Amino acid sequence: QKEVEQDPGPLSVPEGAIVSLNCTYSNSAFQYFMWYRQYSRKGPELLMYTYSSGNKEDGRFTAQVDKSSKYISLFIRDSQPSDSATYLCAMNRGSTLGRLYFGRGTQLTVWP
Amino acid sequence: KAGVTQTPRYLIKTRGQQVTLSCSPISGHRSVSWYQQTPGQGLQFLFEYFSETQRNKGNFPGRFSGRQFSNSRSEMNVSTLELGDSALYLCASSSAGAETQYFGPGTRLLVL
């Protein structure tokens, strides 16, 4: 079993829809949670970063972390065709342990 | 600030050859991590360097090696290339004590 599980999709939604992306994890030592967006043939771009449990909002994006359920989510409101990309969740244990543990990524298409 | 840069961007090699990839981190970042990304396995951690020392290593064979220089630039080397080494190799940098990593555009390696 991988330490981070993420449904690869693909997910296809109409423009303006609310998108929900999710990851589950097994290691309770994870404390830092990130979402990256990766366009085709590009490197991952950091979208959101949260520490421990709670919500964080940035424009149309909201990240949620529920450590008791080992479950994290990314919500995209008013989705746009430019949001079409692969979304990767990532997490780590913090401190000097620099390795990120990634989900497999969810491919999202937003059609006009 | 300039982002993480990687060279070369594309590379074609044949089985048995060796290859060296280069990464320049964001100015001031002292930690450099390397990841391999393939459609089948997703993002897999190779190793992390901090202040010229390898601080963390993933589960890859010894054919994969790396180093970091005093200016924080890093190189990774793959010897005796195999077809399965074809992948996008991503470099990420972070500042000391930070948990987020910033990725470069990657080097796409094709082994024939």
Side-chain angles (χ1 to χ4, degrees):
Chain A
Q1 183 195 7
K2 283 179 71 70
E3 291 193 75
V4 182
E5 299 282 355
Q6 183 178 9
D7 185 341
L11 188 59
S12 182
V13 301
E15 184 175 355
I18 296 174
V19 175
S20 172
L21 304 166
N22 311 293
C23 289
T24 59
Y25 62 96
S26 57
N27 191 336
S28 57
F30 288 143
Q31 298 184 70
Y32 297 86
F33 304 90
M34 285 141 266
W35 285 94
Y36 286 86
R37 177 175 62 194
Q38 187 175 25
Y39 291 113
S40 180
R41 310 193 88 76
K42 303 282 188 184
E45 168 197 11
L46 180 66
L47 263 183
M48 300 282 287
Y49 157 62
T50 52
Y51 168 68
S52 195
S53 286
N55 293 1
K56 187 173 184 178
E57 191 172 315
D58 184 2
R60 297 184 296 112
F61 298 90
T62 300
Q64 286 186 351
V65 175
D66 183 351
K67 290 190 72 180
S68 63
S69 302
K70 297 191 180 69
Y71 188 87
I72 71 170
S73 302
L74 177 71
F75 297 94
I76 306 175
R77 291 182 299 280
D78 187 27
S79 57
Q80 303 294 311
S82 58
D83 294 328
S84 298
T86 296
Y87 289 80
L88 298 146
C89 63
M91 49 199 77
N92 72 9
R93 291 172 282 181
S95 189
T96 60
L97 300 171
R99 171 183 179 172
L100 291 180
Y101 294 79
F102 279 89
R104 291 286 301 275
T106 299
Q107 187 180 344
L108 170 68
T109 300
V110 181
W111 43 273
Chain B
K1 257 190 190 177
V4 178
T5 58
Q6 293 187 246
T7 56
R9 294 293 310 280
Y10 304 94
L11 210 47
I12 299 176
K13 292 286 187 179
T14 56
R15 277 180 302 174
Q17 287 187 309
Q18 75 166 12
V19 67
T20 299
L21 312 182
S22 181
C23 171
S24 292
I26 292 171
S27 177
H29 285 191
R30 292 165 60 192
S31 171
V32 173
S33 298
W34 288 89
Y35 296 84
Q36 180 196 66
Q37 186 176 33
T38 60
Q41 299 296 321
L43 270 145
Q44 296 188 88
F45 174 76
L46 282 155
F47 28 67
E48 185 220 1
Y49 286 87
F50 181 82
S51 292
E52 302 179 65
T53 300
Q54 187 180 86
R55 194 162 65 170
N56 208 348
K57 188 177 189 303
N59 190 26
F60 275 81
R63 299 185 297 108
F64 293 82
S65 63
R67 59 178 176 168
Q68 186 179 34
F69 302 96
S70 58
N71 61 359
S72 295
R73 191 177 69 84
S74 178
E75 288 181 346
M76 69 162 280
N77 183 275
V78 188
S79 62
T80 320
L81 283 166
E82 300 177 0
L83 295 179
D85 297 332
S86 295
L88 179 67
Y89 289 88
L90 291 159
C91 166
S93 76
S94 63
S95 57
E99 305 309 331
T100 53
Q101 295 181 8
Y102 297 87
F103 283 82
T107 294
R108 190 164 295 277
L109 172 65
L110 177 62
V111 182
L112 301 174

Coordinates of all heavy atoms in Angstrom, one line a residue, chain B residues 1 13-14 17 20-21 26 31 33-34 36 39 41 46 52 55 58 83 89 91-92 98-100 103 106:
Chain B
K1 N 12.8 36.8 -8.1 CA 13.8 35.7 -8.0 C 13.7 34.8 -9.1 O 12.5 34.4 -9.5 CB 13.6 35.0 -6.7 CG 14.5 35.3 -5.6 CD 14.4 34.4 -4.4 CE 15.1 34.9 -3.3 NZ 15.0 34.1 -2.1
K13 N 19.4 9.1 -25.1 CA 20.6 8.3 -24.9 C 20.2 6.9 -25.3 O 19.1 6.5 -25.5 CB 21.0 8.3 -23.4 CG 21.5 9.7 -22.9 CD 22.9 9.9 -23.4 CE 23.5 11.2 -22.8 NZ 24.9 11.4 -23.3
T14 N 21.2 6.1 -25.4 CA 21.0 4.6 -25.7 C 21.4 3.8 -24.5 O 22.1 4.3 -23.6 CB 21.8 4.2 -26.9 OG1 23.2 4.5 -26.7 CG2 21.4 4.9 -28.2
Q17 N 24.7 3.7 -21.9 CA 25.4 5.0 -21.7 C 25.1 5.6 -20.3 O 24.3 5.0 -19.5 CB 24.9 6.0 -22.7 CG 25.4 5.7 -24.2 CD 25.0 6.8 -25.1 OE1 23.8 7.3 -25.2 NE2 26.0 7.3 -25.9
T20 N 24.4 12.9 -17.2 CA 24.5 13.8 -16.0 C 23.5 14.9 -16.3 O 23.5 15.5 -17.3 CB 25.9 14.4 -15.9 OG1 26.8 13.3 -15.7 CG2 26.0 15.3 -14.8
L21 N 22.7 15.1 -15.3 CA 21.7 16.2 -15.3 C 22.1 17.3 -14.3 O 22.6 16.9 -13.2 CB 20.3 15.6 -15.0 CG 19.9 14.4 -15.7 CD1 18.5 14.0 -15.3 CD2 20.0 14.6 -17.2
I26 N 16.8 27.9 -6.5 CA 16.4 29.3 -6.3 C 17.5 29.9 -5.4 O 18.0 29.2 -4.5 CB 15.1 29.4 -5.6 CG1 14.0 28.9 -6.6 CG2 14.8 30.8 -5.1 CD1 12.6 28.8 -6.0
S31 N 18.7 23.4 0.0 CA 18.3 22.0 -0.1 C 17.9 21.8 -1.5 O 17.1 22.5 -2.1 CB 17.2 21.7 0.9 OG 16.6 20.5 0.6
S33 N 16.4 18.5 -3.9 CA 15.9 17.2 -4.0 C 15.7 16.8 -5.4 O 15.3 17.6 -6.3 CB 14.5 17.0 -3.2 OG 14.7 17.3 -1.9
W34 N 15.8 15.5 -5.7 CA 15.6 15.0 -7.1 C 14.5 13.9 -7.1 O 14.4 13.1 -6.1 CB 16.8 14.3 -7.6 CG 17.9 15.3 -8.0 CD1 18.9 15.7 -7.1 CD2 18.2 15.9 -9.2 NE1 19.7 16.6 -7.8 CE2 19.3 16.7 -9.1 CE3 17.6 15.8 -10.5 CZ2 19.9 17.4 -10.2 CZ3 18.1 16.5 -11.5 CH2 19.2 17.3 -11.4
Q36 N 12.0 11.3 -9.8 CA 11.8 10.7 -11.1 C 10.3 10.6 -11.3 O 9.6 10.1 -10.4 CB 12.4 9.3 -11.2 CG 12.2 8.6 -12.5 CD 12.4 7.1 -12.4 OE1 11.7 6.4 -11.8 NE2 13.5 6.6 -13.1
P39 N 4.7 7.8 -16.0 CA 3.3 7.6 -16.0 C 2.9 6.4 -15.1 O 1.8 6.5 -14.5 CB 3.0 7.3 -17.5 CG 4.1 7.9 -18.2 CD 5.3 7.8 -17.4
Q41 N 4.5 5.0 -12.3 CA 4.9 5.1 -10.9 C 4.7 6.5 -10.3 O 4.8 6.7 -9.1 CB 6.4 4.7 -10.7 CG 6.7 3.3 -11.1 CD 6.0 2.3 -10.3 OE1 5.8 2.5 -9.1 NE2 5.5 1.3 -10.9
L46 N 14.3 10.4 -5.3 CA 15.6 9.9 -5.5 C 16.6 10.2 -4.4 O 17.1 9.3 -3.7 CB 16.2 10.4 -6.8 CG 15.7 9.8 -8.1 CD1 15.8 10.8 -9.3 CD2 16.4 8.5 -8.4
E52 N 25.9 20.3 0.6 CA 26.8 19.4 0.0 C 26.7 18.0 0.6 O 27.6 17.1 0.2 CB 28.2 19.9 0.0 CG 28.4 21.3 -0.6 CD 29.8 21.8 -0.5 OE1 30.7 21.2 -1.1 OE2 30.0 22.8 0.2
R55 N 21.3 14.0 2.5 CA 20.6 13.9 3.8 C 19.6 12.8 3.7 O 19.1 12.3 4.8 CB 20.0 15.2 4.1 CG 19.5 15.4 5.5 CD 19.3 16.9 5.8 NE 18.3 17.6 5.0 CZ 17.9 18.8 5.3 NH1 18.4 19.5 6.2 NH2 16.9 19.3 4.5
G58 N 16.2 7.8 -1.6 CA 15.1 6.9 -1.9 C 15.5 5.5 -2.3 O 16.7 5.2 -2.2
L83 N 16.3 0.9 -20.4 CA 15.1 1.5 -21.0 C 14.1 2.1 -20.0 O 13.5 3.1 -20.2 CB 14.4 0.4 -21.8 CG 15.1 -0.1 -23.0 CD1 14.3 -1.2 -23.7 CD2 15.5 0.9 -24.0
Y89 N 12.9 13.9 -15.1 CA 13.6 14.0 -13.9 C 13.5 15.4 -13.3 O 13.8 16.4 -14.0 CB 15.1 13.6 -14.1 CG 15.3 12.2 -14.3 CD1 15.2 11.6 -15.5 CD2 15.5 11.3 -13.2 CE1 15.2 10.2 -15.7 CE2 15.5 9.9 -13.4 CZ 15.4 9.4 -14.6 OH 15.5 8.0 -14.8
C91 N 13.9 18.4 -10.4 CA 14.7 18.9 -9.3 C 13.9 19.9 -8.5 O 13.1 20.6 -9.1 CB 16.0 19.6 -9.8 SG 16.9 20.6 -8.7
A92 N 14.0 19.9 -7.2 CA 13.2 20.8 -6.4 C 14.1 21.4 -5.3 O 15.0 20.8 -4.8 CB 12.0 20.1 -5.7
A98 N 12.3 25.2 5.7 CA 11.0 25.3 5.1 C 10.6 23.9 4.6 O 11.4 23.0 4.3 CB 11.1 26.2 3.9
E99 N 9.3 23.7 4.6 CA 8.8 22.4 4.2 C 8.3 22.3 2.8 O 8.0 21.2 2.3 CB 7.6 22.0 5.2 CG 8.0 22.1 6.6 CD 9.2 21.3 7.0 OE1 9.5 20.3 6.3 OE2 9.9 21.7 7.9
T100 N 8.1 23.4 2.1 CA 7.7 23.4 0.8 C 8.9 23.4 -0.2 O 9.9 23.9 0.1 CB 6.8 24.7 0.5 OG1 7.6 25.8 0.8 CG2 5.6 24.7 1.2
F103 N 9.7 23.4 -7.7 CA 10.2 22.5 -8.8 C 10.7 23.2 -10.0 O 10.2 24.3 -10.3 CB 9.2 21.5 -9.2 CG 8.9 20.4 -8.2 CD1 8.2 20.5 -7.1 CD2 9.6 19.1 -8.4 CE1 8.0 19.5 -6.2 CE2 9.4 18.1 -7.5 CZ 8.6 18.3 -6.4
G106 N 12.1 20.3 -15.2 CA 12.4 18.9 -15.5 C 13.3 18.7 -16.7 O 13.4 19.5 -17.6

